[in-house]
Amino acid sequence: MADLIQMGANVATVVCPLGPRTRTFVGRTDSSRPAVNGLLPNVFAEADALIDLFDNKTIKVHGLTALVGAHTVSQQHFVDPGRSGDPQDSTPGIWDVAFYNETLSANVPKRVFKFPSDVKLSQNSRASGEWNQFVIGQEHWNEDYAREYVRLSLLGVNNINYLTECSHVLPRRTDTVKTADNPANLKNWLNSVGKTGTSDKIESGTGVKN
C-alpha cells in the first residue's frame, strides 16, 4: 500500500501539465499499525514551527518551501467546509508557479484559498528568498520539488537498500499548457462564490467546458 501511495503521487504530479518526473522506488515493507492521528502539519501553524517540524525529519527550509508548492494543484475541503473544493491558486490542474505568486499577492480571484501557514511561510525570512525565486522559476521549482519529494517519500523506510527504482514506468511529462486547459468559464468560476459543480469537475479531471 505504501508503494501504491507513492507511485500514485508521482504519476499524478507528472501527468499535470508542466509537472516534473520524480525518481520513484518500490519495495517498502508495509506496517500493520495505522498511522497516529494528528501528525499532519497544522495549516494555522507559525512558519518557524513548520520549519522546525520538517527539519527534524531531515527536510530543510529550502525543501519545505519547494514541497508546499504542490498546493498549486490542490483543492481544500476541510479547513473551511463552506468553501469545499476551492483551489489554492487560479490554475487548478496545472503544475505551475502561480501558487507562489498568488500566496504573496492580495489581488487574487475570490475562490483562491490560502492556508494561513503558507502565507506565514512565504513571509518568513528563512523561506522568503527561495519562495521569491520560485515565483519566476518553473524549472528551478520542478528540480527542487522532485529532489525533495524523493527524500520525503523515503522517510521511515527501513529497507531502503532493498528498494527497486521504477522511474521508467512514469508517463512522459507535458511541457506545454493548451488553451483548452484553462477555458474562459474557469475564470468566471474563479471569480464567483457559493457551491457549484465546477469544483467537482476539476477534482475528477472531467474539465469545466460545460
Side-chain angles (χ1 to χ4, degrees), residues 40 46 64-65 67 105 120 123 127 158 164 167 177 183 194:
L40 290 176
E46 298 299 322
L64 171 60
T65 306
L67 289 170
S105 175
K120 294 172 184 176
Q123 298 170 348
N158 296 322
T164 300
S167 309
V177 178

Side-chain angles (χ1 to χ4, degrees), residues 8-57:
N10 289 349
V11 169
T13 298
V14 76
V15 298
C16 282
L18 307 182
R21 290 171 63 87
T22 305
R23 294 187 69 185
T24 305
F25 298 86
V26 298
R28 295 166 181 80
T29 301
D30 286 327
S31 173
S32 60
R33 295 178 297 174
V36 178
N37 290 328
L39 294 184
L40 290 176
N42 190 323
V43 298
F44 298 101
E46 298 299 322
D48 286 334
L50 291 174
I51 291 170
D52 291 342
L53 175 68
F54 278 79
D55 187 67
N56 287 336
K57 295 174 173 59

Side-chain angles (χ1 to χ4, degrees), residues 69-76 85-89 92-93 99 113 115 203:
H71 290 167
T72 185
V73 290
S74 71
Q75 292 170 258
Q76 79 84 30
D86 280 0
Q88 292 192 255
D89 74 16
F99 163 80
F113 190 97
F115 284 170
E203 193 161 56

